[in-house]
Amino acid sequence: MDPNTKTILFFALFSLYLSLSNILVAEPYTYDQNPENGPEGWSKLDHQWKICNHGKLQSPIDLTRGRVSRVHDEAWKIHHKPAEAVIMSRGHDIMVSWKGDAGKMMIDHTEFKLVQCHWHSPSEHTINGTHYDMELHMVHTSAQSQTAVIAVLYKLGRPNEFLTTLQNEIKTVGKEEKKLGIVDPRTIGFHTDKFYRYVGSLTAPPCTEGVIWTVVKKVYFFCVICRWIFIY
């Protein structure tokens, strides 16, 4: 099997792993359409999660809804940088968490530091009702404990460079943190001048509202061999 085919196969299996992660690792809640512990029943599992089903600013949403702003801002600056990181499974997703200073982004003069990234498959947000193959969340927090998330939507196609560099660790990921060494979040690579923005919530319990969502408008994938970004 040639290297390209192997990497594409890994990418497909990674998406499958994410979609089955609630089955593989027991969690008090799931993303399955189960009335007991699925999204429709989260508020019944813990009284502190009541907002999950009764909040006014819940995420995810369809990005064509009225509360979403379509922004073209060439001045929006992101200053990510390499730092020590670990990887682990949280049951409902796989997370890379930076232990060192992985940089920041600025929104309305507020500084948000990059904390972690994780993946969902299929995508949580939709565009005109369409789910995409995968969604990456880059979670940032401010000194005032406010959360801001950059989301990137993917179509399954050519291999993803960032995932490819992590594939050996992902194959053996478990509930315990595994050291990755230095991980550069800039290798995720995305265009930042056109995006959707709205105020929503965490997409898992406790579903805290007030999260600033920035969803990159372009849906794309990475080419591992040439390392160019192919954008749809």
Side-chain angles (χ1 to χ4, degrees):
M1 187 182 297
D2 66 84
N4 255 3
T5 303
K6 286 182 179 179
T7 311
I8 292 172
L9 178 60
F10 163 76
F11 189 79
L13 291 175
F14 177 70
S15 296
L16 179 62
Y17 178 94
L18 292 178
S19 66
L20 296 176
S21 56
N22 286 122
I23 298 174
L24 298 173
V25 181
E27 284 285 314
Y29 63 90
T30 75
Y31 286 85
D32 298 331
Q33 298 307 311
N34 183 320
E36 294 184 0
N37 58 359
E40 295 301 319
W42 284 352
S43 63
K44 299 177 183 178
L45 298 176
D46 190 313
H47 72 277
Q48 295 182 333
W49 299 353
K50 186 176 181 179
I51 197 173
C52 293
N53 299 113
H54 303 287
K56 302 298 184 183
L57 297 174
Q58 285 297 291
S59 298
I61 63 173
D62 191 278
L63 296 171
T64 59
R65 289 179 57 175
R67 79 188 224 218
V68 179
S69 298
R70 298 184 183 185
V71 182
H72 182 193
D73 185 1
E74 296 181 354
W76 183 43
K77 299 298 183 182
I78 300 175
H79 303 282
H80 292 152
K81 57 185 179 181
E84 293 282 346
V86 298
I87 189 171
M88 65 178 293
S89 170
R90 296 189 294 180
H92 61 278
D93 64 25
I94 295 173
M95 177 181 70
V96 172
S97 177
W98 279 274
K99 297 300 185 181
D101 180 7
K104 63 186 179 181
M105 68 172 174
M106 300 291 294
I107 299 178
D108 296 332
H109 306 293
T110 299
E111 179 179 293
F112 292 86
K113 292 187 176 182
L114 177 61
V115 178
Q116 53 103 332
C117 73
H118 59 270
W119 297 265
H120 294 273
S121 181
S123 70
E124 295 193 315
H125 289 90
T126 58
I127 300 176
N128 289 319
T130 299
H131 284 278
Y132 290 88
D133 293 305
M134 190 166 68
E135 182 171 340
L136 169 69
H137 292 166
M138 301 182 73
V139 181
H140 301 68
T141 58
S142 72
Q144 295 74 36
S145 299
Q146 186 176 11
T147 300
V149 182
I150 299 173
V152 185
L153 304 176
Y154 294 92
K155 283 185 178 181
L156 182 61
R158 299 189 183 187
N160 176 284
E161 181 181 359
F162 185 66
L163 282 176
T164 300
T165 62
L166 299 174
Q167 62 180 313
N168 290 332
E169 287 73 20
I170 290 174
K171 289 176 183 177
T172 58
V173 70
K175 291 191 292 183
E176 300 297 324
E177 290 185 350
K178 181 179 181 181
K179 292 183 179 180
L180 293 174
I182 299 295
V183 175
D184 189 348
R186 296 173 299 183
T187 61
I188 293 173
F190 51 84
H191 291 265
T192 59
D193 60 340
K194 294 181 181 180
F195 48 88
Y196 303 96
R197 179 165 287 163
Y198 75 100
V199 177
S201 73
L202 299 178
T203 60
C207 309
T208 306
E209 295 187 338
V211 175
I212 301 174
W213 281 92
T214 303
V215 184
V216 178
K217 188 175 182 181
K218 299 295 183 180
V219 179
Y220 63 97
F221 59 88
F222 293 150
C223 169
V224 170
I225 295 177
C226 59
R227 298 189 179 185
W228 295 336
I229 299 175
F230 287 79
I231 302 177
Y232 287 98

